[in-house]
Amino acid sequence: MSTDQAWQKDLLRYPEKRPFLKEQSIWAIWVYRFGQRVDCRKSGLIKKLQTAVYWIMFRFIETLTSISIPKTASIGPGLRIWHFGGIFIHANAVVGAHCTLRQGVTIGNRGDDQLVPVIGDNVDIGAYAQILGNIHIGDNCKVGAMSVVLQDVPDGATAVGNPARIIAKKV
């Protein structure tokens, strides 16, 4: 569908031959990548028209799949969403390359200050995990299902619980 490198790496994380027919989460990722491509265009009529198309698709897919990934979020290539639904990523969030999200994940702020998480590369976030506030999740981390992460997680660590605590760290 595109020569966008990030999109190609996203597709590689979906092993099926035709992920658009089998995985609804890929729809939301495609709309996100499309929105980013539109933002890179030069100003003009085509950009305005594509921006309008993006917003219609964004709202439709957001309503249909319950996945909200605004085009202003910074997400690295190779995003994989398992078991779509109930996923919210704040518009200012930063998510690294090759991250995995499961249903019900929230990556957002804790109040009106608009400070949001920075997620490293190769992070695996379990179902219904909440990552909130001005925190950093290191590379190669795992966040357990239903965890509420309110503090930094070092590289290679596993965080679980509410509030999340570090239970393991790779050497």
Side-chain angles (χ1 to χ4, degrees), residues 25-46:
S25 62
I26 196 82
W27 305 344
I29 295 170
W30 184 85
V31 170
Y32 165 75
R33 299 288 182 206
F34 173 75
Q36 290 212 310
R37 287 191 302 275
V38 168
D39 279 355
C40 291
R41 293 187 69 91
K42 292 180 183 176
S43 295
L45 181 61
I46 292 176

Side-chain angles (χ1 to χ4, degrees), residues 2-21:
S2 168
T3 58
D4 179 352
Q5 294 295 322
W7 170 244
Q8 295 302 321
K9 289 187 178 179
D10 294 336
L11 279 177
L12 290 174
R13 300 280 316 273
Y14 287 80
E16 297 87 14
K17 272 189 169 183
R18 297 184 187 126
F20 268 87
L21 300 175

Side-chain angles (χ1 to χ4, degrees), residues 12-164:
L12 290 174
R13 300 280 316 273
Y14 287 80
E16 297 87 14
K17 272 189 169 183
R18 297 184 187 126
F20 268 87
L21 300 175
K22 299 174 183 171
E23 295 273 349
Q24 294 87 345
S25 62
I26 196 82
W27 305 344
I29 295 170
W30 184 85
V31 170
Y32 165 75
R33 299 288 182 206
F34 173 75
Q36 290 212 310
R37 287 191 302 275
V38 168
D39 279 355
C40 291
R41 293 187 69 91
K42 292 180 183 176
S43 295
L45 181 61
I46 292 176
K47 182 174 182 173
K48 285 182 181 181
L49 290 172
Q50 286 183 333
T51 299
V53 168
Y54 161 77
W55 281 111
I56 291 167
M57 289 190 314
F58 174 77
R59 291 298 179 200
F60 179 74
I61 295 298
E62 180 183 49
T63 302
L64 188 65
T65 64
S66 295
I67 300 173
S68 180
I69 310 174
K71 65 181 179 172
T72 55
S74 177
I75 299 175
L79 178 64
R80 175 65 156 113
I81 298 175
W82 289 92
H83 315 294
F84 77 96
I87 295 171
F88 174 81
I89 299 177
H90 191 280
N92 299 330
V94 176
V95 178
H98 305 289
C99 287
T100 301
L101 308 178
R102 289 179 176 73
Q103 73 271 18
V105 168
T106 299
I107 300 172
N109 59 346
R110 292 176 69 181
D112 294 334
D113 58 9
Q114 297 298 312
L115 298 175
V116 295
V118 174
I119 312 290
D121 295 338
N122 303 309
V123 175
D124 190 335
I125 302 173
Y128 300 101
Q130 313 295 301
I131 302 173
L132 306 171
N134 185 23
I135 62 171
H136 182 268
I137 306 295
D139 295 340
N140 305 306
C141 288
K142 292 184 180 186
V143 176
M146 300 184 77
S147 297
V148 179
V149 184
L150 303 173
Q151 63 185 1
D152 291 349
V153 178
D155 290 350
T158 298
V160 297
N162 180 5

